[in-house]
Amino acid sequence: MNKIIPILILLLIPFSLAHTTPRKKIGIVLSGGGAKGVAHIGVIKALEELNIPIDYIAGTSIGAIIGGLYSIGYTSEQLETIVKQTDWINLLTDKVSREKIPFPFKSNDSKYLVSFPFNNSEKNGGIIKGQNISQLLHQLTEGYQNVTNFDSLPIPFACIATDMVRNQKEVIRFGKLSEAMRASMAVPIVFSPIYSGQKVLIDGGFKDNLPIDVVKAMGADIIIGIDVQSELSDADNLHSITGIANQLMLMICQSSLDESTKDIDAYIKVDVENYNAASFTKAAIDTLIIRGENAAKANYNTLLSIKNRIGIVNNKRNNKAQLPLFYPQYVPSNDNQLRIGLRFDSEDIAAVMLNINLNKHKLGKAEMVVRGGKQSFLRTQYHFPISKPQWITLSNQIGYNDIFLYSHGYKISNPTFIRNTSSLIYSIIPSRNLQIEVGTSLDYHQYYRTLVNEDATPIKRKNLFLNYHTKLKYETLSKRYFPTKGLKTNISYTIHTDLHTNTAYSSLATQITKIFPIALNTFIIPTIYGRFIFNDGIPFMYSNVIGGEGYNPHYEQQIPFSGLPHTESALKLLGNARIQIRHKFHEKQYLTLSGNYAIHQNQFSNFLQGKKIHGTSIGYGYDSPLGPIEGFICYSNRTNKLGFYLNIGFGF
């Protein structure tokens, strides 16, 4: 018996050591590569299937984003869902759906072709501020926003940025996780850097696109490196500026690779041929994830060897139960800006508009707008915030106008005149999509030339009016042009007082537009318009007019009418119902069929027996980067002839 006991002890010692000796720790390293980085998800999926544990993660650029999210509990399946359901085109810009833009900022949406910031105190440093990607990363890291030490995450994490001030690699293991990931992917010039104290942080690929040494320093015994970088192009593909720029970026990133590959236990190189940093289409994402899986499977023996080295482990993760739904939130710009708008249409021929916007933050915002064309003006205004939802606006606009007014398709008036309007407006924005305003204005008109026929209303040479108005505006349209959902409602009541004769006139105007989807990419859009004048003899400037598609009205009170490409006079009681059927085909191309039916009359008692106007139009539209390009062929019983309207550019 005494001999047996020592033998048993000797036999039990290895088992005891096996249970007390900690297993070797595995670290993965994820390279940068823009859209190509979604291939990381495929590799991670293969590692999960092999039940290979991940103890440390280090990443650069897109590798930092994938790695950071995986470190807090997202599975490969959830990461795949995120990249597939994300609208990357809008995400990687500062664009926000119009329905998310609050009043009073809707008026400047989709109006200007280009914008140039100047003399700004804000630190931008990039064409794109990256506010949408920052918001998404913030939402995806909910629950870990107060964690400042990345070693305390479910999987310890580090990411790489480049400090432009010191020209050094910045290893980020502390701070706010969403900001760290955002700094790591800040491609210079394209995205604004992250400013942290005296550091200016940009994309980490410039210094270390595959941070092997970082994950080793974190404590990893075994390192798996995943590389999604493209190969250098040959001479045949370096004939364009884009090709050369991409090559320079690849050269920089490749030169930053850790040349000491002896520390890598498994080097997984993903085939990303025919894809680039901007390949965010659904087909590209699907293919890249599959290629990531295939790259991992090509290293199956190596990965299996790693698994055998560490033994069988429990690699179950505490997965996040739900994916947050991401909706970009509008962030008002505090930039001082010069904005330029250009357009052409078959009525006004050509027009240009310049806007100088000076933001004084808490002191308000000053604007100066200059428009050139048949309706030229200079407008200066100042918006003063009373509280967050309340504004007071002071403005003055002086302009020269040379416009035509038609009746039954024939010109009845061509007034040329100076108009000067000074306004004081109080606005309250009780919710994001609702604005209520009351205001008063002093409106002066001086006519220089008025060509009229017997159907035209006589025009006095000089007019001076004191006007009072109240307006309610509600809008949730997804876009200004070619919207696919939403509601728009405008209701206004105005009193016009002639200071020369002390005569008062009043008017009530309404518009209700609703968009209903009726099939895939097909929408029906009914609209009801109305404007009612309650006094006889209202001056020319405030009389009812109808016509045009509504993008560039000649008059504030103008009611759009598909079928009339020009501006027609109407009686003092005017109602119009319009219905549009719009179909989207191919990419950003639309076919629109419209029908209108209007009644106008001078007496309420027999309004329904008033004069009838009906019209139709068919149009093609393209939602181009330069603004909407639209052409309409139209017909109305008002003219009894075909008309044509062409618009190029944003309306203003």
Side-chain angles (χ1 to χ4, degrees):
M1 185 69 181
N2 293 334
K3 294 181 179 179
I4 295 175
I5 292 175
I7 295 173
L8 290 173
I9 293 173
L10 291 172
L11 292 172
L12 290 172
I13 286 175
F15 293 98
S16 176
L17 291 175
H19 287 283
T20 59
T21 303
R23 68 166 176 83
K24 293 184 180 297
K25 302 294 185 178
I26 297 177
I28 64 170
V29 185
L30 311 180
S31 81
K36 297 171 292 183
V38 301
H40 289 311
I41 298 172
V43 178
I44 293 173
K45 184 184 294 187
L47 296 179
E48 288 178 344
E49 291 174 355
L50 285 170
N51 202 29
I52 294 177
I54 298 173
D55 301 294
Y56 304 100
I57 302 175
T60 299
S61 197
I62 185 68
I65 295 176
I66 300 294
L69 296 179
Y70 193 77
S71 74
I72 61 174
Y74 288 101
T75 66
S76 60
E77 182 180 356
Q78 290 174 317
L79 292 173
E80 184 173 355
T81 301
I82 291 171
V83 299
K84 287 183 176 180
Q85 73 179 13
T86 298
D87 184 354
W88 290 97
I89 302 301
N90 286 329
L91 181 70
L92 298 176
T93 67
D94 294 323
K95 292 183 178 180
V96 178
S97 175
R98 183 176 176 84
E99 63 197 291
K100 303 297 180 182
I101 300 176
F103 285 105
F105 304 103
K106 288 185 189 288
S107 61
N108 283 328
D109 175 55
S110 298
K111 181 180 289 186
Y112 300 100
L113 182 61
V114 292
S115 177
F116 302 98
F118 68 93
N119 193 30
N120 292 312
S121 58
E122 281 194 346
K123 299 176 179 180
N124 292 333
I127 299 172
I128 301 169
K129 291 183 179 180
Q131 61 190 30
N132 286 349
I133 186 70
S134 294
Q135 289 178 25
L136 174 61
L137 295 175
H138 180 78
Q139 292 182 25
L140 290 173
T141 55
E142 187 164 354
Y144 294 92
Q145 294 165 358
N146 295 324
V147 176
T148 58
N149 185 345
F150 300 166
D151 285 343
S152 63
L153 297 175
I155 300 177
F157 169 74
C159 64
I160 308 302
T162 301
D163 182 5
M164 295 185 69
V165 176
R166 299 176 299 159
N167 190 25
Q168 291 182 4
K169 177 171 76 175
E170 184 76 12
V171 180
I172 307 177
R173 298 179 64 180
F174 300 91
K176 192 173 182 178
L177 179 60
S178 60
E179 290 184 359
M181 294 188 290
R182 168 66 176 83
S184 185
M185 54 76 63
V187 179
I189 309 301
V190 179
F191 289 100
S192 292
I194 295 296
Y195 297 89
S196 178
Q198 297 301 310
K199 300 175 183 178
V200 180
L201 304 178
I202 62 171
D203 195 299
F206 287 91
K207 287 298 179 182
D208 194 349
N209 206 40
L210 193 66
I212 299 164
D213 60 326
V214 174
V215 79
K216 185 178 181 181
M218 294 171 70
D221 304 299
I222 298 172
I223 299 173
I224 300 173
I226 308 167
D227 187 1
V228 297
Q229 296 179 97
S230 300
E231 300 293 339
L232 293 173
S233 300
D234 56 26
D236 294 335
N237 296 315
L238 296 176
H239 292 170
S240 66
I241 295 176
T242 302
I244 291 174
N246 289 334
Q247 189 84 336
L248 286 171
M249 181 67 72
L250 288 171
M251 290 167 61
I252 294 171
C253 291
Q254 286 197 2
S255 67
S256 68
L257 283 175
D258 189 347
E259 297 179 356
S260 179
T261 56
K262 66 178 186 300
D263 293 329
I264 301 181
D265 296 87
Y267 177 66
I268 301 175
K269 175 67 175 176
V270 182
D271 176 17
V272 293
E273 187 177 0
N274 299 324
Y275 295 100
N276 56 47
S279 299
F280 282 111
T281 65
K282 184 180 183 303
I285 290 172
D286 289 339
T287 301
L288 286 166
I289 291 175
I290 292 172
R291 288 190 181 184
E293 289 185 77
N294 292 337
K297 291 175 181 178
N299 289 268
Y300 180 80
N301 291 333
T302 302
L303 295 175
L304 191 61
S305 172
I306 290 173
K307 182 179 178 180
N308 292 333
R309 287 167 60 186
I310 63 171
I312 299 175
V313 299
N314 183 6
N315 192 31
K316 290 187 177 182
R317 294 166 55 78
N318 183 20
N319 301 332
K320 300 180 76 69
Q322 279 186 324
L323 295 178
L325 296 175
F326 173 64
Y327 299 102
Q329 300 298 310
Y330 180 76
V331 179
S333 173
N334 290 318
D335 292 344
N336 297 324
Q337 294 179 321
L338 170 64
R339 296 180 287 199
I340 302 174
L342 299 169
R343 74 184 306 274
F344 169 90
D345 76 357
S346 50
E347 282 292 293
D348 284 345
I349 311 301
V352 59
M353 188 155 71
L354 303 178
N355 175 297
I356 299 176
N357 193 311
L358 303 175
N359 282 284
K360 302 299 181 182
H361 306 286
K362 295 182 179 181
L363 298 178
K365 179 176 67 173
E367 284 188 272
M368 183 175 71
V369 184
V370 180
R371 186 188 194 275
K374 293 180 67 175
Q375 299 182 80
S376 303
F377 63 74
L378 169 65
R379 179 172 68 242
T380 56
Q381 57 188 22
Y382 186 80
H383 306 278
F384 179 76
I386 302 176
S387 62
K388 189 174 182 180
Q390 301 179 77
W391 292 75
I392 288 181
T393 301
L394 298 170
S395 71
N396 186 81
Q397 177 172 308
I398 182 169
Y400 175 81
N401 299 267
D402 181 6
I403 56 180
F404 294 104
L405 186 65
Y406 294 75
S407 178
H408 297 85
Y410 298 97
K411 294 177 183 177
I412 63 170
S413 178
N414 175 211
T416 57
F417 60 97
I418 293 290
R419 182 178 185 180
N420 188 90
T421 305
S422 301
S423 304
L424 171 64
I425 299 172
Y426 166 78
S427 302
I428 183 170
I429 304 95
S431 67
R432 180 175 60 203
N433 295 308
L434 176 65
Q435 178 172 310
I436 301 170
E437 69 175 50
V438 294
T440 183
S441 63
L442 190 65
D443 198 4
Y444 173 76
H445 320 128
Q446 180 173 342
Y447 294 87
Y448 292 99
R449 182 188 67 188
T450 307
L451 304 177
V452 300
N453 63 18
E454 62 276 8
D455 296 325
T457 303
I459 300 175
K460 295 190 298 183
R461 182 173 175 84
K462 295 182 180 181
N463 298 275
L464 182 63
F465 290 86
L466 182 62
N467 302 324
Y468 308 90
H469 78 264
T470 181
K471 294 182 180 180
L472 184 149
K473 305 176 184 177
Y474 180 82
E475 185 184 330
T476 60
L477 297 183
S478 56
K479 295 192 298 183
R480 185 181 180 191
Y481 305 99
F482 311 112
T484 57
K485 59 180 178 180
L487 170 70
K488 181 177 181 179
T489 300
N490 290 331
I491 302 173
S492 66
Y493 179 74
T494 308
I495 298 174
H496 313 274
T497 305
D498 189 336
L499 295 182
H500 290 157
T501 64
N502 211 26
T503 304
Y505 311 89
S506 60
S507 62
L508 174 67
T510 62
Q511 175 194 351
I512 302 174
T513 301
K514 176 66 178 174
I515 300 175
F516 298 95
I518 57 176
L520 183 63
N521 293 326
T522 303
F523 311 90
I524 185 168
I525 310 170
T527 304
I528 297 175
Y529 301 94
R531 188 169 187 263
F532 307 105
I533 300 169
F534 299 103
N535 312 80
D536 295 325
I538 195 166
F540 160 78
M541 185 54 62
Y542 307 120
S543 63
N544 281 336
V545 291
I546 188 171
E549 292 296 323
Y551 294 152
N552 186 39
H554 291 158
Y555 306 88
E556 182 180 3
Q557 72 271 23
Q558 183 174 335
I559 290 179
F561 192 91
S562 298
L564 294 172
H566 50 259
T567 305
E568 289 265 332
S569 64
L571 302 178
K572 69 176 190 177
L573 307 176
L574 174 61
N576 176 29
R578 180 171 74 175
I579 188 164
Q580 294 177 299
I581 299 175
R582 178 174 292 143
H583 178 71
K584 179 180 179 181
F585 63 98
H586 298 298
E587 186 66 25
K588 298 185 177 182
Q589 298 185 69
Y590 300 84
L591 184 67
T592 303
L593 178 65
S594 301
N596 292 254
Y597 188 83
I599 301 175
H600 64 133
Q601 178 62 281
N602 281 327
Q603 303 296 327
F604 278 106
S605 58
N606 59 351
F607 175 73
L608 295 179
Q609 285 72 49
K611 297 181 180 181
K612 311 297 192 298
I613 309 174
H614 54 79
T616 59
S617 70
I618 184 170
Y620 164 83
Y622 173 58
D623 193 6
S624 80
L626 301 176
I629 300 174
E630 291 188 282
F632 292 91
I633 297 175
C634 54
Y635 174 83
S636 171
N637 70 326
R638 181 82 168 184
T639 60
N640 289 315
K641 61 182 180 181
L642 289 176
F644 177 76
Y645 177 78
L646 175 66
N647 173 81
I648 302 174
F650 299 114
F652 51 75

